[in-house]
Amino acid sequence: MNCDLARLILPEYLSQSLGESQELAFAAHLATCDACRAETERLGSLWRGLALLPDTLPEPGANVRDRFYESLAAYRHGLESAPKHGFKEKLAALWPKQAAFQMAISFALLVMGIGVGYEMQREKPVQPVVGSELAQLRGEVSNMRQMVALSLMQQQSAGERLRGVSWAYRVESTDTEVLSALLTTVNNDDSVNVRLSAVGALHAFGASPVTRAAIVQSIRKQTSPLVQIALIELLVDLKVTDAAPELKRLASDNTIDLSVRERANWALGKLLQ
Amino acid sequence: MAAVGSGEVQKLAVLFERHHRGLFRYFVSMNRNRELSEDLVQDVFFRMLRYRASYDAQQSFTAWMYQIARNASVDQAQKRRGEVIGIDEFTEHKPDLSPGPEESAVRGQDLRLLRLALDRLPADKRELLVLSRFQGMKYDELSTVLGCEVGTVKVRVYRAMRALEQAYLTISGEKTA
């Protein structure tokens, strides 16, 4: 290693983010180069001093928090009171973005159209046929949403799996297959973002005792405090009072992240009010 | 943030609790004005709501947030062009250096001098050190925030450290002269 390269990786050496081989090479260079060793000592001293500077800065005032929560409440109020989407927008939202799903839906609609036309030609009474076709159409759409959600949740890409989770919001809350896929995602997905998103989607399934028990069991399986906190907040949202004993255990378990323990304490207060 | 993006805007409160102090410290390190920094923190979270659909879950959230913070800062500066912005003198927070491992790390350096030296740096160098050292950002996140290659970030951090050393030595000389 020469001096130019050593200077380039000096900040990484100071922040201890070099790989093992580079760190060894850097240390070997310092052992033979007085100038680089002196510079590393001087800049290292400043680097460590910089880490203490944030403590000399002021804290934000208490009004910052108050203003934020007021603004958030106002924003949510504005969203809720905004005019809902019209029929066209709702229909457009149902339309998937992937060409394969678009073709599948088009084909299903074509087949149904032919079927309806055939039935009408046979001059059957109109009302019962339309009623049954509508029920069938609803069933088809429901199945299609389920299929899209399940297939996207099994994709390699985290982005696709996130889209799958968002499709889970559109299925019936009694759909056990999608519920099972969501629980698997919450417990096993590699991406914290996907797990967090799946926790949010579980809210719609909160009436089921299976969901409520699974949320409680999932907290300890999580490696991310973020997901643990999201699960605890979901327990409060769903008013799962049965979770109180587990929350007490979490709150007093010193091996658990401090922010999770604090959130568990907060949840206990909310649930036992 | 993915949950906020999918419509659960109340989840922004979790992000606020986690990041508002760091953001405030970033702004106050850059503009030395408490009131303006508090306004900018509000602005950043409001922009997160407005642009939540643009968040890509594959991307670093911290990098995305500080891109927004930089834009908010630039917009604020343009709005206030021509105005004289007050510079606050912060003396109320003094870290306890007497016991503990930090003492040996600092080796008796005067933190006040170091802070003055940091304040004297050009904004781009100061920002680089604040983001990498105060916020603990990795080089790949810095490259996203600053819109340049990781290799360029490394060179710029090294140069910023050298500039900080020069400023520190100059101020030390002024104080002892």
Side-chain angles (χ1 to χ4, degrees):
Chain A
M1 179 177 292
N2 59 30
C3 293
D4 284 342
L5 182 58
R7 283 180 193 131
L8 194 63
I9 64 174
L10 172 58
E12 285 175 281
Y13 175 77
L14 295 175
S15 57
Q16 297 178 327
S17 55
L18 281 178
E20 192 180 345
S21 61
Q22 268 196 313
E23 189 168 343
L24 284 173
F26 187 85
H29 177 74
L30 290 190
T32 58
C33 178
D34 291 343
C36 285
R37 190 166 60 248
E39 184 174 48
T40 303
E41 280 174 12
R42 289 195 320 271
L43 296 188
S45 182
L46 292 175
W47 187 256
R48 286 186 290 277
L50 277 177
L52 294 173
L53 281 190
D55 292 337
T56 67
L57 294 172
E59 292 289 315
N63 64 323
V64 170
R65 183 176 272 106
D66 295 343
R67 279 171 61 195
F68 167 76
Y69 282 104
E70 278 170 20
S71 303
L72 184 62
Y75 192 87
R76 288 182 66 187
H77 179 72
L79 277 184
E80 282 160 14
S81 56
K84 303 291 178 205
H85 287 307
F87 177 70
K88 272 187 179 176
E89 285 83 357
K90 283 181 181 171
L91 204 61
L94 284 176
W95 193 243
K97 288 174 185 165
Q98 280 195 348
F101 294 125
Q102 289 176 355
M103 283 179 66
I105 291 178
S106 304
F107 184 70
L109 289 173
L110 179 66
V111 169
M112 276 186 283
I114 292 170
V116 171
Y118 180 73
E119 288 296 319
M120 284 175 73
Q121 248 189 351
R122 289 173 60 189
E123 295 182 357
K124 282 193 173 178
V126 171
Q127 195 57 38
V129 170
V130 170
S132 79
E133 289 296 335
L134 271 178
Q136 190 184 347
L137 184 60
R138 284 199 189 102
E140 292 284 343
V141 172
S142 176
N143 286 343
M144 193 64 72
R145 288 173 183 166
Q146 183 203 54
M147 186 190 77
V148 173
L150 291 176
S151 74
L152 285 175
M153 271 194 273
Q154 289 168 2
Q155 297 297 311
Q156 288 272 324
S157 143
E160 290 294 288
R161 296 202 299 281
L162 270 176
R163 288 188 54 214
V165 171
S166 68
W167 271 88
Y169 283 92
R170 303 177 191 181
V171 304
E172 299 289 329
S173 60
T174 50
D175 191 322
T176 53
E177 279 191 66
V178 172
L179 170 60
S180 170
L182 280 175
L183 290 174
T184 305
T185 300
V186 168
N187 288 329
N188 302 315
D189 200 284
D190 292 336
S191 158
V192 170
N193 285 330
V194 178
R195 293 210 297 275
L196 280 172
S197 185
V199 171
L202 279 177
H203 194 285
F205 297 82
S208 156
V210 175
T211 312
R212 298 160 86 88
I215 295 168
V216 177
Q217 287 165 10
S218 178
I219 297 174
R220 277 195 185 270
K221 292 179 187 168
Q222 298 298 331
T223 50
S224 160
L226 271 178
V227 182
Q228 289 177 310
I229 288 171
L231 286 165
I232 289 169
E233 286 171 356
L234 181 57
L235 288 174
V236 173
D237 283 351
L238 297 175
K239 298 185 173 59
V240 185
T241 50
D242 298 348
E246 176 62 11
L247 288 172
K248 276 182 192 159
R249 281 193 288 275
L250 284 171
S252 58
D253 185 345
N254 288 334
T255 62
I256 305 277
D257 185 272
L258 175 63
S259 55
V260 177
R261 281 186 270 145
E262 286 175 353
R263 210 58 184 160
N265 256 326
W266 165 84
L268 272 172
K270 288 276 181 191
L271 290 173
L272 300 179
Q273 268 176 2
Chain B
M1 191 60 214
V4 177
S6 63
E8 294 179 76
V9 293
Q10 72 277 13
K11 291 276 171 73
L12 191 71
V14 179
L15 297 173
F16 174 83
E17 293 299 339
R18 199 168 297 147
H19 295 290
H20 80 277
R21 286 178 72 233
L23 273 173
F24 177 77
R25 285 175 166 180
Y26 163 71
F27 285 127
V28 95
S29 300
M30 297 306 296
N31 61 36
R32 309 295 299 163
N33 184 297
R34 174 199 282 269
E35 195 182 336
L36 180 60
S37 298
E38 289 179 347
D39 287 344
L40 283 165
V41 169
Q42 301 291 337
D43 191 13
V44 168
F45 283 97
F46 185 65
R47 286 176 188 226
M48 280 192 207
L49 278 180
R50 276 177 63 192
Y51 304 122
R52 61 188 187 275
S54 72
Y55 173 65
D56 175 7
Q58 313 272 31
Q59 189 190 349
S60 154
F61 168 73
T62 310
W64 183 72
M65 182 174 74
Y66 278 99
Q67 279 178 309
I68 291 176
R70 293 183 92 220
N71 290 338
S73 195
V74 169
D75 291 352
Q76 185 74 259
Q78 282 177 347
K79 262 191 229 168
R80 291 175 177 245
R81 190 179 291 161
E83 276 185 52
V84 177
I85 307 294
I87 304 291
D88 298 340
E89 181 59 36
F90 306 123
T91 53
E92 59 273 49
H93 286 262
K94 289 178 181 168
D96 178 16
L97 295 178
S98 43
E102 291 89 350
E103 189 179 25
S104 59
V106 177
R107 292 177 188 166
Q109 278 182 59
D110 188 341
L111 282 182
R112 184 172 161 72
L113 292 187
L114 186 56
R115 204 180 73 196
L116 288 173
L118 186 66
D119 287 348
R120 279 197 189 178
L121 291 186
D124 61 330
K125 290 188 167 63
R126 186 163 75 248
E127 179 178 49
L128 208 54
L129 294 179
V130 166
L131 289 176
S132 64
R133 200 63 182 129
F134 292 13
Q135 314 300 336
M137 290 182 75
K138 307 283 180 213
Y139 285 150
D140 56 341
E141 291 177 317
L142 282 170
S143 78
T144 305
V145 173
L146 304 175
C148 59
E149 297 294 320
V150 172
T152 309
V153 172
K154 289 180 184 180
V155 174
R156 287 177 59 187
V157 170
Y158 172 74
R159 286 180 182 160
M161 283 301 294
R162 286 298 304 269
L164 179 69
E165 183 188 25
Q166 282 304 313
Y168 181 81
L169 292 174
T170 305
I171 292 169
S172 300
E174 288 169 4
K175 295 282 173 186
T176 51

